[in-house]
Amino acid sequence: VSDKLVASRELVTLMNDRLAEVSTSHGVGVQLRWRRRDDLDPNLDPMIDLLGKPPDLRTPEEDDRLIDALSGRIGDARAAEPELAYRDLIRSVLDYRQWHEMSLYITRAGDTPRKLSRRTPLSEGEKKIVSYLALFAAVAASWDSVAGAEPAAPRFVLLDDAFAKVSEDNHAQLFGLLV
């Protein structure tokens, strides 16, 4: 789990590095924020902190606290769903994706980043380009992480009507993320 949490943070950093270089023809940029959800059980925070720490850096006392926390969570999950297979139980208890949320923030020159919401004043084309920027940055960052292990790995992406409602002057920025 520690490796997955570290890899997730690194992937978001790679994505934001890519996104920092790109803005739309109207000066709209995107940032991603991946952080712990606000609505989590407060008792879960110490367990997540310990799981996020590499095992060889944890003290024996931290290992004991982690074992206790995990045992409690597994016991609670087993009581809630006694028929669930153990593999599925562990998967649900250790699903770090449920502990975090990904948010898109809109950036404009001279303005503070604002969280993207339904009420964010953007045209249809801007909404499309903002979502595409994030998706293309995710693809590019994934490729970058694979390239570290295998530099010769091929990079393919299939685009089916990817630029519907995106003005042509923004196509280059999207493709630039992939190059």
Side-chain angles (χ1 to χ4, degrees):
V1 173
S2 172
D3 291 344
K4 295 292 185 186
L5 289 169
V6 169
S8 296
R9 286 190 291 268
E10 289 174 355
L11 191 60
V12 171
T13 298
L14 283 170
M15 292 167 65
N16 279 324
D17 290 347
R18 292 283 186 135
L19 289 169
E21 301 171 6
V22 179
S23 64
T24 69
S25 58
H26 292 81
V28 176
V30 179
Q31 281 180 350
L32 297 168
R33 294 199 185 148
W34 188 70
R35 62 183 195 85
R36 201 170 295 171
R37 290 180 26 200
D38 293 331
D39 61 347
L40 287 179
D41 175 0
N43 297 325
L44 190 56
D45 281 338
M47 185 185 86
I48 295 171
D49 291 338
L50 289 171
L51 282 169
K53 193 173 185 180
D56 54 339
L57 297 181
R58 286 195 303 257
T59 65
E61 294 81 22
E62 289 173 327
D63 282 339
D64 290 342
R65 288 197 323 260
L66 180 57
I67 289 167
D68 290 343
L70 284 170
S71 295
R73 303 284 302 173
I74 291 168
D76 292 346
R78 172 61 71 204
E81 297 188 66
E83 300 300 319
L84 196 62
Y86 189 70
R87 174 183 65 220
D88 297 329
L89 185 76
I90 293 296
R91 184 179 329 166
S92 70
V93 168
L94 295 178
D95 188 356
Y96 65 93
R97 297 168 302 173
Q98 294 179 22
W99 308 332
H100 297 84
E101 66 182 6
M102 179 75 75
S103 301
L104 275 158
Y105 282 76
I106 304 300
T107 60
R108 295 179 194 261
D111 199 4
T112 58
R114 294 189 181 171
K115 188 174 181 176
L116 180 65
S117 71
R118 293 177 192 226
R119 295 188 173 142
T120 304
L122 295 173
S123 70
E124 279 299 312
E126 287 174 321
K127 288 177 186 175
K128 286 280 190 188
I129 189 76
V130 164
S131 61
Y132 285 147
L133 283 171
L135 291 173
F136 275 55
V139 169
S142 294
W143 284 337
D144 289 346
S145 65
V146 169
E150 184 53 56
R155 295 181 176 209
F156 295 106
V157 65
L158 299 175
L159 304 172
D160 180 21
D161 202 21
F163 300 118
K165 297 185 182 176
V166 174
S167 62
E168 283 190 34
D169 52 344
N170 286 310
H171 292 187
Q173 284 85 344
L174 288 172
F175 278 121
L177 284 168
L178 300 177
V179 176

